[in-house]
């Protein structure tokens, strides 16, 4: 890859690095040593609001949109049988992996807690159907098919229409209230059932409310398509300086629009509000522009090798982190300091290793655990990176 600003690079390293940053970030914020002791920026907003943690998933969704434009170019954006089959097959695989991870979590926790084997393994009546991987699958599938059948100059109008329609649904259906009457929760309970939904809390109230629910997938599709349009711009513009100028311009407009509209339509990740889409896509666009300037124009690359190991196999690394999380959070080991004499592998590492290392500071120990867990996952990613092994999901 050339470092010159005017040449058209065959592959922008900045894309891989941003993808790697988001995957490493998702693994870190999903794995504190203790959920009861985390620094505020490393936790999700309870309901309305935005924290740094709330940015990692939408940033990945944005980058997925950018990458989708690159991948569909080989089909000349025509709905051929090969293109449609690839999209549907990949989406199905991603969705099923998400279900498999949800099943493994229930099954292994049941087995390790002493529940009967049959009951633990046959937990399909309470498995969570939606989640991060299923949402990625649905958005990739619908967004990609739309990119094949619609003229790209019409996609911005489609995005706006989708966000406006979703806004009307939210306003008409108590969509900004954390309650059982919220239209998002109502639809999910009617279609999925409470036993197949995520339960979340806000203001001391716990409800069956899935942050990756059915209705909130609609703005997520718009989110992915915004990334797709940015990918289109990156390909059509040959000069890297013009690329970053456009990305910063897009980022500024979307970010300001999101924050200004948030006075009437609060920014909320759990409902994936339209202002959340605008703000996070704007910030993602600006970050991508910054990374292109730092990495692909200025050539400052040493600092980003760590994230490249996550970025070249992103979904595999995310799944690896999820599986390891399930294992260490379910498998039990003897621990004399615990009330019942046993704890999980994660609990032992946190209490016996991280707490002394942090001088008894529970929050710092929780952060050290999260960083160490990211580093442990990186070892596998770095080995794949050095061996040039690319696991396509």
């Amino acid at each position: 890859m050339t470092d010159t600003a005017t040449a058209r690079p065959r592959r922008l390293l900045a894309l891989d690095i941003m993808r790697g940053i988001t995957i490493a970030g998702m693994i870190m914020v999903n794995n504190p040593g203790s959920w009861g002791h985390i620094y505020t920026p490393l936790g999700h907003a309870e309901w309305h609001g935005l924290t740094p943690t709330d940015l990692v998933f939408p940033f990945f969704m944005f980058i997925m949109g950018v990458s989708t434009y690159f991948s569909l170019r080989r089909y000349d954006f025509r709905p051929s049988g090969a293109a449609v089959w690839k999209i549907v097959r990949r989406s199905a695989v991603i969705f099923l992996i998400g279900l498999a991870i949800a099943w493994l979590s229930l099954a292994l926790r049941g087995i390790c807690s002493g529940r009967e084997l049959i009951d633990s393994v046959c937990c399909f009546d309470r498995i969570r159907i939606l989640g991060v991987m299923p949402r990625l699958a649905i958005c990739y599938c619908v967004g990609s098919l739309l990119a094949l059948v619609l003229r790209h100059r019409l996609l911005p109008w489609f995005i706006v229409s989708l966000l406006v329609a979703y806004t009307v649904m939210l306003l008409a259906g108590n969509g900004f209230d954390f309650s059982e009457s919220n239209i998002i929760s109502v639809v999910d309970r009617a279609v999925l059932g409470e036993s197949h939904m995520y339960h979340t809390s806000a203001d001391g109230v716990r409800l069956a409310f899935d942050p990756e629910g059915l209705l909130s997938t609609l703005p997520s599709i718009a989110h992915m398509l915004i990334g797709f349009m940015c990918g289109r711009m990156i390909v059509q513009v040959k000069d890297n300086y013009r690329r970053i100028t456009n990305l910063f311009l897009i980022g500024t407009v979307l970010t300001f629009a999101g924050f200004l509209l948030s006075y009437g339509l609060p920014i909320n990740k759990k409902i994936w509000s339209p202002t959340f889409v605008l703000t996070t896509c704007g910030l993602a666009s600006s970050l991508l522009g910054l990374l292109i300037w730092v990495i692909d124009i200025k050539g400052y690359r040493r600092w980003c090798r760590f994230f490249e190991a996550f970025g070249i196999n992103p979904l595999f690394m995310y799944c690896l982190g999820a599986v390891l999380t399930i294992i260490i959070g379910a498998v039990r080991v003897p621990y004399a300091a615990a009330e019942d004499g046993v704890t999980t592998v994660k609990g032992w590492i946190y209490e016996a290793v991280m707490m002394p290392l942090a001088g008894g500071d529970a929050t710092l120990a929780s952060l050290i655990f999260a960083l160490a867990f990211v580093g442990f996952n990186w070892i596998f990613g770095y080995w794949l990176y050095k061996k040039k092994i690319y696991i396509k999901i």
Side-chain angles (χ1 to χ4, degrees):
M1 182 185 300
T2 180
D3 292 322
T4 62
T6 55
R8 181 180 179 182
R10 186 175 59 182
R11 182 183 182 96
L12 286 173
L13 180 59
L15 287 173
D16 288 332
I17 300 307
M18 185 169 174
R19 191 160 38 228
I21 290 173
T22 58
I23 292 298
M26 290 166 74
I27 294 173
M28 181 182 73
V29 301
N30 286 339
N31 292 279
S34 168
W35 285 105
H37 300 89
I38 56 176
Y39 291 109
T40 300
L42 298 180
H44 290 291
E46 192 172 57
W47 187 238
H48 296 323
L50 190 68
T51 71
T53 298
D54 292 325
L55 299 177
V56 288
F57 185 26
F59 277 20
F60 185 82
M61 187 82 73
F62 175 88
I63 285 295
M64 182 179 73
V66 175
S67 301
T68 299
Y69 185 89
F70 296 159
S71 66
L72 293 182
R73 289 175 65 203
R74 72 185 67 178
Y75 301 106
D76 198 27
F77 302 103
R78 298 182 184 276
S80 65
V84 172
W85 171 242
K86 177 191 174 183
I87 292 168
V88 173
R89 181 185 58 188
R90 184 170 189 246
S91 301
V93 169
I94 294 174
F95 195 99
L96 290 174
I97 289 175
L99 285 180
I101 291 173
W103 171 82
L104 178 64
S105 178
L106 282 177
L108 191 57
R109 289 177 191 276
I111 293 170
C112 293
S113 63
R115 186 177 297 165
E116 291 185 5
L117 180 62
I118 296 299
D119 183 53
S120 298
V121 173
C122 299
C123 54
F124 305 107
D125 60 328
R126 56 188 182 275
I127 191 172
R128 184 188 178 196
I129 296 176
L130 300 178
V132 171
M133 293 291 280
R135 170 157 288 187
L136 290 174
I138 295 171
C139 291
Y140 168 75
C141 184
V142 177
S144 297
L145 293 176
L146 286 171
L148 293 181
V149 300
L150 289 180
R151 294 184 179 180
H152 292 173
R153 61 183 176 83
L154 298 177
L155 285 179
W157 296 104
F158 180 86
I159 293 168
V160 171
S161 299
L162 198 56
L163 292 179
V164 170
Y166 184 63
T167 299
V168 172
M169 291 182 197
L170 293 178
L171 294 175
N174 297 322
F176 290 100
D177 297 332
F178 185 71
S179 68
E180 291 184 347
S181 65
N182 187 306
I183 188 172
I184 296 174
S185 180
V186 170
V187 171
D188 284 343
R189 291 201 310 270
V191 178
L192 303 174
E194 288 194 19
S195 61
H196 296 291
M197 293 172 57
Y198 187 85
H199 289 63
T200 188
S201 302
D203 297 326
V205 179
R206 186 170 179 80
L207 296 174
F209 196 102
D210 205 311
E212 282 83 40
L214 291 171
L215 275 186
S216 59
T217 301
L218 295 176
S220 300
I221 294 170
H223 194 120
M224 178 266 190
L225 289 174
I226 292 174
F228 181 88
M229 295 305 294
C230 287
R232 180 172 182 256
M233 181 277 296
I234 290 173
V235 170
Q236 291 180 341
V237 174
K238 305 301 188 294
D239 179 74
N240 268 343
Y241 282 111
R242 284 188 57 204
R243 283 174 174 160
I244 63 173
T245 299
N246 290 346
L247 285 170
F248 281 131
L249 179 61
I250 293 169
T252 301
V253 170
L254 292 180
T255 303
F256 270 87
F259 278 120
L260 289 174
L261 291 174
S262 68
Y263 288 99
L265 307 171
I267 297 173
N268 187 310
K269 178 186 180 293
K270 291 181 179 178
I271 64 174
W272 215 274
S273 65
T275 47
F276 178 78
V277 173
L278 296 175
T279 303
T280 55
C281 280
L283 293 173
S285 179
S286 297
L287 176 59
L288 180 57
L290 176 62
L291 290 175
I292 291 176
W293 180 78
V294 171
I295 299 170
D296 294 288
I297 293 180
K298 292 298 183 179
Y300 301 134
R301 301 180 179 180
R302 288 187 178 181
W303 67 273
C304 62
R305 296 304 182 193
F306 177 86
F307 298 107
E308 193 171 0
F310 286 99
I312 62 171
N313 287 300
L315 291 183
F316 172 79
M317 293 301 299
Y318 177 80
C319 293
L320 173 66
V323 171
L324 291 177
T325 298
I326 293 169
I327 293 173
I328 66 173
V331 175
R332 296 174 176 266
V333 295
Y335 185 50
E339 291 184 5
D340 55 357
V342 294
T343 187
T344 62
V345 173
K346 177 181 179 179
W348 181 85
I349 295 173
Y350 174 69
E351 293 289 346
V353 180
M354 299 304 172
M355 281 289 283
L357 191 62
D361 187 329
T363 305
L364 179 59
S366 186
L367 174 60
I368 295 174
F369 178 94
L371 294 175
F373 188 76
V374 172
F376 184 74
N377 280 267
W378 175 83
I379 293 173
F380 294 92
Y382 183 71
W383 182 82
L384 294 174
Y385 171 73
K386 293 297 289 184
K387 295 292 184 178
K388 300 187 185 300
I389 299 174
Y390 307 105
I391 303 175
K392 300 292 184 181
I393 297 179

